[in-house]
């Protein structure tokens, strides 16, 4: 009898050990598999059981959370969602996250270990931190001026602070309301399908995720390359530039929209945007130096993040001389995001130095203590300081006496460059209207803002579409908004 009891005890002990081993296997070894199983709703229930942290502009939240009383309890809300969508992105229970909502999800959702007061405390207690906040660099007045200036036309605006790289405005239109994607009902599904099928692509962030031919705004880069390479030494010396200019090795003749470009000096050619002068300058500089200067400004950089990824702006390095001529006036395969062209203007304003742009100033815990701050940003020299000083003078001439007069701000020093970029097969598409600029208030020691504006579908006759007429007033409004604060 005693032996039977002993055998039963040993058998029961083996069953207990097997149970413990299996429990450990399920909880430790197979836990990731069960967590990822679509049938497991516990991670989602836990994720949406508390309010999400906020994204702040000027110290005020542009996001919020709404208590639905359902299993997935809190849904994301947005204040002036369409205006800030290119910054915030969306946070959807059905479709995940994008832009800042995505890259800062750990802080906003409370899952980032850095939010815990004590290291590993949450791993032991299985508690969840309150969502933290993300403080952006966006200037609310500049953002509104850009959004209202575009007025629903397809286009984008990017504005940066030249001395630091802080992004002051990031607007893309037409836009959408991220709040309409926050939940998980059938209405959300229909909205998602409609947005993705819309021909104007409202969820495309044109400011950082779309590249355009920059047209004549790229002449800032070409002028910098010509001055740094010593191809041009005197801004007022006549150039050996015929009008029209026959592209090397071809019978194709390049012409100008302005008169008097034959032999024009660099200053005159820049002020009146002479294609023939800058096309020949690009050929004279050569592809090696042109590519090096473009790269110094930020072209061909596939690693730029602000903190979400930015589309690569391109300057083709495998071109013949005719293609180089077109590339040097912002055509052929030359393409840029509005943020990249704002960086070009900022480099001129900042004495030839380019600061890496950034969108997040700092992240904080729910109580306000800092989790992480932006810190100093990398800087590189896009051109010599003397070259930047000469370009600043030429850009101010464009606004004072040339094609950019609609960007002028009383009492401020404003520099700019217009652009009208052809595109489509045989240049059949409606031209893009560009304007890049910077501005310095009368009491400022240095320029405070650099802006790039592109308008895709200008409501005007084709012949009347110009950066100076359509994009410059938008840039002016953004710059004025920054300078008046």
């Amino acid at each position: 009898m005693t032996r039977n009891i002993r055998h039963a005890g040993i058998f029961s002990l083996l069953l207990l050990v097997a149970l413990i081993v299996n429990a450990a296997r399920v909880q430790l070894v197979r836990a990731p598999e069960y967590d990822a199983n679509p049938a497991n709703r516990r991670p989602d229930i836990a994720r949406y059981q508390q309010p999400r942290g906020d994204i702040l502009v000027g110290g005020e939240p542009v996001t919020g959370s709404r208590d639905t009383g359902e299993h997935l309890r809190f849904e994301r809300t947005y204040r002036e969602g369409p205006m800030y969508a290119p910054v915030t992105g969306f946070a959807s229970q059905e479709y995940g996250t994008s832009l800042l909502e995505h890259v800062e999800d750990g802080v906003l959702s409370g899952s980032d270990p850095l939010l815990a007061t004590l290291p590993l405390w949450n791993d032991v207690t299985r508690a969840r931190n309150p969502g933290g906040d993300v403080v952006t660099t966006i200037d609310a007045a500049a953002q509104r001026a850009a959004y209202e200036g575009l007025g629903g036309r397809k286009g984008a605006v990017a504005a940066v602070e030249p001395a630091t790289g802080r992004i002051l405005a990031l607007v893309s239109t037409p836009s959408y309301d991220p709040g309409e994607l926050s939940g998980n009902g059938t209405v959300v599904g229909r909205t998602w399908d409609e947005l993705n099928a819309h021909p104007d692509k409202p969820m495309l962030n044109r400011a950082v995720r779309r590249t355009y031919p920059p047209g004549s705004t790229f002449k800032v880069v070409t002028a910098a390359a010509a001055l740094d390479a010593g191809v041009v030494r005197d801004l007022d010396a006549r150039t050996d530039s015929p009008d029209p200019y026959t592209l090397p090795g071809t019978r194709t003749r390049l012409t100008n929209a302005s008169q008097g470009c034959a032999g024009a000096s660099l200053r005159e050619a820049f002020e009146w945007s002479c294609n023939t002068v800058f096309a020949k300058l690009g050929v004279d500089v050569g592809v090696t130096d042109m590519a090096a200067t473009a790269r110094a400004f930020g072209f061909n950089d596939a690693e730029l993040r602000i903190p979400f990824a930015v589309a690569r702006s391109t300057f083709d390095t495998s071109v013949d001389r005719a293609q180089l001529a077109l590339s040097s006036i912002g055509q052929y395969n030359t393409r840029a995001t509005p943020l990249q062209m704002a960086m070009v203007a900022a480099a001129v304003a900042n004495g030839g130095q380019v600061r890496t742009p950034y969108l997040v100033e700092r992240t904080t815990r729910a109580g306000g203590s800092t989790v992480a701050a932006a810190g100093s940003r990398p800087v590189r020299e896009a051109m010599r300081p003397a070259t930047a000083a000469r370009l600043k003078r030429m850009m101010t001439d464009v606004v004072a006496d040339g094609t950019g007069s609609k960007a002028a701000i009383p009492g401020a020093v404003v520099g700019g460059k217009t652009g009208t970029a052809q595109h489509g097969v045989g240049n059949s598409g409606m031209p893009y209207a560009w304007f890049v600029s910077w501005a310095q208030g009368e009491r400022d020691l240095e320029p405070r803002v650099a802006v790039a504006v592109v308008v895709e579908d200008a409501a005007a006759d084709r012949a009347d579409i110009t950066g100076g007429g359509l994009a410059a007033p938008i840039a002016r409004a953004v710059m004025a908004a920054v300078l008046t604060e």
Side-chain angles (χ1 to χ4, degrees):
M1 184 67 177
T2 302
R3 188 176 63 178
N4 291 338
I5 293 174
R6 186 167 58 250
H7 288 170
I10 293 172
F11 182 67
S12 297
L13 180 61
L14 290 175
L15 290 177
L16 179 61
V17 170
L19 184 63
I20 293 173
V21 170
N22 187 59
R25 181 182 68 87
V26 169
Q27 294 187 29
L28 298 178
V29 178
R30 301 195 65 185
E33 177 186 338
Y34 290 128
D35 278 342
N37 192 310
N40 179 19
R41 298 196 70 203
R42 288 185 178 275
D44 287 340
I45 292 173
R47 175 183 177 85
Y48 298 109
Q49 194 62 32
Q50 66 181 21
R52 192 170 173 83
D54 285 318
I55 297 172
L56 308 182
V57 171
E60 298 294 328
V62 295
T63 59
S65 295
R66 181 175 69 88
D67 190 346
T68 66
E70 300 175 357
H71 281 299
L72 303 184
R73 183 173 172 183
F74 286 95
E75 287 183 3
R76 195 54 145 170
T77 61
Y78 296 87
R79 178 170 63 85
E80 299 185 280
M83 185 166 75
Y84 288 109
V87 176
T88 63
F90 60 78
S92 170
Q93 294 176 350
E94 185 73 19
Y95 299 106
T97 54
S98 68
L99 302 182
L100 277 189
E101 292 276 30
H102 180 70
V103 295
E104 299 293 352
D105 182 67
V107 170
L108 294 166
S109 67
S111 63
D112 192 324
L114 293 176
L115 295 174
T117 306
L118 298 175
L120 303 179
W121 177 253
N122 288 355
D123 292 340
V124 175
T125 64
R126 293 192 176 274
R128 193 179 187 94
N129 296 303
D133 293 337
V134 175
V135 181
T136 72
T137 59
I138 293 294
D139 181 299
Q143 185 80 0
R144 182 173 298 280
Y147 184 72
E148 294 179 351
L150 284 169
R153 292 172 293 189
K154 279 194 289 186
V157 177
V160 300
E161 187 175 69
T164 63
R166 296 171 68 245
I167 297 175
L168 304 178
L170 207 63
V171 169
S172 174
T173 56
S175 189
Y176 70 105
D177 185 355
E180 294 180 354
L181 300 175
S182 294
N184 54 26
T186 56
V187 174
V188 171
R190 286 199 301 270
T191 301
W192 175 265
D193 291 341
E194 290 170 0
L195 288 172
N196 280 283
H198 199 291
D200 288 340
K201 302 185 185 309
M203 287 200 295
L204 172 63
N205 190 340
R206 289 172 163 84
V208 295
R209 294 281 175 84
R210 179 163 189 177
T211 60
Y212 303 84
S216 292
T217 59
F218 190 79
K219 292 170 183 173
V220 175
V221 178
T222 303
L227 289 166
D228 272 358
V231 172
V232 174
R233 299 183 184 277
D234 184 348
L235 297 183
D236 297 306
R238 291 184 62 79
T239 59
D240 183 20
S241 304
D243 183 8
Y245 172 59
T246 302
L247 298 180
T250 76
R251 296 180 180 179
T252 302
R253 300 199 306 171
L254 187 66
T255 59
N256 300 290
S258 302
Q259 300 295 319
C261 287
S265 68
L266 181 60
R267 189 191 304 275
E268 294 169 332
F270 193 87
E271 185 175 330
W272 296 106
S273 203
C274 295
N275 288 333
T276 52
V277 174
F278 281 92
K280 186 175 185 302
L281 277 179
V283 173
D284 292 343
V285 170
V287 68
T288 300
D289 285 346
M290 279 296 302
T293 300
R295 185 165 55 251
F297 275 100
F299 285 80
N300 296 334
D301 180 4
E303 305 301 322
L304 180 60
R305 304 184 70 86
I306 62 169
F308 47 80
V310 177
R312 184 170 69 104
S313 298
T314 57
F315 182 84
D316 196 338
T317 59
S318 57
V319 290
D320 60 27
R321 283 160 50 88
Q323 293 163 343
L324 176 60
L326 294 175
S327 298
S328 300
I329 59 171
Q331 299 288 169
Y332 189 57
N333 287 340
T334 304
R335 297 187 69 86
T337 63
L339 179 61
Q340 173 60 64
M341 295 313 297
M343 291 167 61
V344 169
V348 175
N350 196 38
Q353 293 189 325
V354 178
R355 287 280 183 182
T356 302
Y358 66 101
L359 185 57
V360 174
E361 199 75 77
R362 64 185 181 277
T363 54
T364 68
R365 297 180 179 87
S369 60
T370 298
V371 176
S376 60
R377 308 299 294 178
V379 62
R380 63 178 178 273
E381 185 173 273
M383 64 192 122
R384 295 171 184 164
T387 295
R390 298 166 94 179
L391 273 170
K392 281 182 75 173
R393 291 196 297 271
M394 290 196 294
M395 290 183 77
T396 56
D397 289 344
V398 169
V399 174
D401 304 310
T403 55
S405 59
K406 291 187 178 180
I409 300 172
V413 178
V414 179
K417 182 70 189 79
T418 58
T420 305
Q422 307 292 336
H423 68 102
V425 178
N427 294 332
S428 59
M430 193 69 76
Y432 297 140
W434 275 95
F435 193 74
V436 300
S437 58
W438 51 265
Q440 179 175 341
E442 55 186 338
R443 296 183 180 179
D444 296 329
L445 298 178
E446 58 189 13
R448 286 176 56 190
V449 58
V451 181
V453 178
V454 62
V455 180
E456 288 187 36
D457 59 346
D461 292 336
R462 184 183 179 95
D464 295 331
I465 296 174
T466 64
L470 297 168
I474 301 172
R476 179 190 185 280
V478 175
M479 293 185 293
V482 174
L483 296 182
T484 54
E485 292 187 342

